[in-house]
Amino acid sequence: MKKNVSGEGNKMVKHIILWQLKDEYSEEEKRNIRKGIKEGLEGLNGKIPGLKEIHVNADGILASSNADVMLDSTFEDEESLKGYSIHPEHLEVANGKVRPYTKSRVCLDYEF
């Protein structure tokens, strides 16, 4: 295992996103949009260097929630996350299946 400056082992990075879908969509449209987001993002598994795990929670969201979709992904390190953010296959999904349908995005990235 590589060592970082502090002498600790490399830490992996969690990349968590919560999105709200635009209000203009019906519940059926939102179901289809959530399905497309899930299929698109989870389809990146094995295609992006340093991406260890990617899961999208788009079903079973309780009424008490104020988000519609959650991305939970794990990367080898911060550099891998940076590479993911500009990777053409990720951008294709983000620009085609996510950004046109969402009104808000909250992101939390952390090492563990």
Side-chain angles (χ1 to χ4, degrees):
M1 184 182 294
K2 297 178 193 171
K3 298 284 183 181
N4 66 18
V5 178
S6 67
E8 298 174 8
N10 268 1
K11 294 184 178 186
M12 292 202 291
V13 170
K14 271 290 192 186
H15 175 62
I16 303 205
I17 306 243
L18 297 173
W19 289 284
Q20 288 182 323
L21 300 178
K22 292 179 180 175
D23 296 328
E24 62 208 53
Y25 299 113
S26 69
E27 285 308 309
E28 182 177 348
E29 289 171 319
K30 286 182 178 183
R31 259 191 312 277
N32 289 330
I33 291 165
R34 288 193 303 266
K35 181 180 177 189
I37 291 171
K38 180 176 179 69
E39 288 173 355
L41 289 171
E42 289 184 353
L44 297 173
N45 196 25
K47 296 180 179 177
I48 312 250
L51 174 61
K52 305 297 281 179
E53 291 184 43
I54 187 163
H55 303 284
V56 174
N57 187 340
D59 299 313
I61 308 293
L62 300 178
S64 57
S65 300
N66 62 7
D68 297 297
V69 182
M70 181 184 90
L71 168 69
D72 180 358
S73 54
T74 305
F75 292 85
E76 287 178 357
D77 52 29
E78 191 173 1
E79 287 304 311
S80 298
L81 174 58
K82 288 176 184 176
Y84 165 83
S85 71
I86 59 171
H87 192 282
E89 290 193 62
H90 167 254
L91 292 174
E92 183 178 336
V93 173
N95 292 330
K97 296 185 178 282
V98 181
R99 291 179 181 136
Y101 306 104
T102 56
K103 67 178 182 178
S104 71
R105 174 188 181 270
V106 175
C107 175
L108 176 67
D109 295 329
Y110 65 93
E111 290 182 321
F112 68 102

